[in-house]
Amino acid sequence: MRELEAVETVGVVGAGTMGNGIAQVAATAGYDVIMRDIEAEFVDNGLDAIESSLSRLDGKDALDEDPTTIQGRITGTTDLADLADADLVVEAALEDMSVKQDIFTDLDDVTDDDVVLATNTSTLSITTIASATDREDLVVGLHFMNPVPIMTGVEVVTGEKTAPAVTEFAHAFAEDLGKETWESDDKPGFVTNRVLMPWINEGIRAYDEGVASKEDMDKGMKLGTNVPMGPLELADHIGLDICLDASETLHEELGDRYKPAYLLKRKVAAGDLGKKTGKGFYEY
């Protein structure tokens, strides 16, 4: 395994919301970044999102360097083979086990044998993802929170065969990006989603059953528990499709107490996925 001091280039698989956010914070911390997605359009959209995010942060005097300098450290590609030069890879692709295993099999072939492979999964088994490689001891979960440039937390998840030194490496890397970490065993949902998804689903059920208006549901939880967003607002922010996928995974693994709310399923079926589509429980 490479020591953190030897890491100069970080590979990121996926240029979507999470992938481009991870690429941005890595580049901001001084790393060279290779960001890969399957289509040039996705890569370009990711680079545009980074440019916009850096511009906003610069406007708030939140950057130590010029945005152009930071973005200059990021290279976009559609060729996974370009990650051969990476000293660490963080995968942030679709939350689908078969997709992730295919990616990790390819990364195992492309990268050097001592490169740590991390996954940003929020619910899927690190151990199962790692089983697609010949380096299960070098696979670890690095679950960033959305939006990555703003949220300070990163969940480090240890698989069945993750080496202790790799877990320590994951904590150290996240902290080098200016993040704070906590650690979870490889159990469904880890810490955050195991607790968060039932909270969101119960808020949706309570709203659907007429306990309160959506505004009062969220206001009550914010004022009553000191959270920054209530369950309906937060679900819109995360993406209702992502909430549903996570809830279904937890339901399958842990039983009926994680059953997704009917109204959540109906919203997703209607294509109202929250902030990213302009409409969910609220309009944007």
Side-chain angles (χ1 to χ4, degrees):
M1 185 194 82
R2 298 184 187 183
E3 298 299 324
L4 183 59
E5 293 75 16
V7 175
E8 297 180 354
T9 301
V10 176
V12 177
V13 180
T17 301
M18 298 305 295
N20 68 58
I22 295 166
Q24 177 181 322
V25 297
T28 301
Y31 293 97
D32 291 327
V33 179
I34 303 168
M35 184 176 68
R36 182 262 182 182
D37 213 315
I38 56 175
E39 292 186 17
E41 178 185 1
F42 300 157
V43 175
D44 290 342
N45 289 342
L47 292 171
D48 288 344
I50 292 169
E51 182 178 7
S52 296
S53 177
L54 289 172
S55 177
R56 288 193 299 272
L57 291 171
D58 187 50
K60 298 175 182 178
D61 294 323
L63 298 175
D64 293 332
E65 292 183 295
D66 183 89
T68 304
T69 301
I70 296 171
Q71 186 140 19
R73 298 190 183 109
I74 305 171
T75 302
T77 183
T78 57
D79 189 352
L80 196 73
D82 287 342
L83 271 64
D85 294 331
D87 302 302
L88 162 68
V89 178
V90 183
E91 170 271 323
L94 291 174
E95 195 73 348
D96 180 288
M97 180 59 77
S98 62
V99 170
K100 291 187 184 295
Q101 284 193 312
D102 286 347
I103 290 170
F104 271 73
T105 296
D106 291 340
L107 288 173
D108 196 35
D109 292 336
V110 165
T111 59
D112 290 342
D113 293 342
D114 60 347
V115 170
V116 170
L117 304 179
T119 174
N120 184 60
T121 183
S122 59
T123 55
L124 300 176
S125 168
I126 308 302
T127 304
T128 305
I129 293 170
S131 70
T133 75
D134 290 325
R135 64 179 88 181
E136 295 173 77
D137 58 324
L138 297 184
V139 177
V140 67
L142 266 177
H143 178 207
F144 290 80
M145 304 295 118
N146 182 34
V148 179
I150 304 300
M151 297 290 282
T152 59
V154 175
E155 189 167 47
V156 175
V157 188
T158 59
E160 181 69 22
K161 295 186 178 181
T162 304
V166 172
T167 302
E168 293 175 12
F169 172 92
H171 282 287
F173 172 69
E175 289 163 6
D176 196 47
L177 302 184
K179 306 300 185 183
E180 293 186 43
T181 60
W182 64 94
E183 191 171 318
S184 173
D185 193 15
D186 189 17
K187 301 292 195 302
F190 317 135
V191 172
T192 47
N193 277 350
R194 181 161 184 151
V195 176
L196 181 61
M197 288 306 143
W199 185 76
I200 285 176
N201 276 292
E202 193 56 33
I204 295 170
R205 288 190 193 96
Y207 163 60
D208 198 23
E209 293 169 8
V211 172
S213 68
K214 58 191 174 187
E215 293 83 4
D216 280 344
M217 183 67 61
D218 284 338
K219 186 176 182 180
M221 292 309 298
K222 285 190 285 188
L223 296 178
T225 66
N226 203 32
V227 293
M229 284 187 277
L232 306 182
E233 183 184 2
L234 181 57
D236 274 357
H237 182 79
I238 294 170
L240 303 191
D241 54 335
I242 293 172
C243 291
L244 180 57
D245 285 345
S247 298
E248 287 177 336
T249 298
L250 291 167
H251 182 214
E252 181 180 347
E253 294 286 345
L254 298 173
D256 282 348
R257 72 186 190 274
Y258 288 91
K259 184 176 182 181
Y262 167 72
L263 184 56
L264 175 61
K265 294 190 286 186
R266 195 174 76 187
K267 289 278 189 185
V268 173
D272 295 334
L273 307 182
K275 194 172 182 180
K276 62 187 175 184
T277 60
K279 184 178 180 181
F281 288 101
Y282 299 92
E283 293 190 7
Y284 301 89

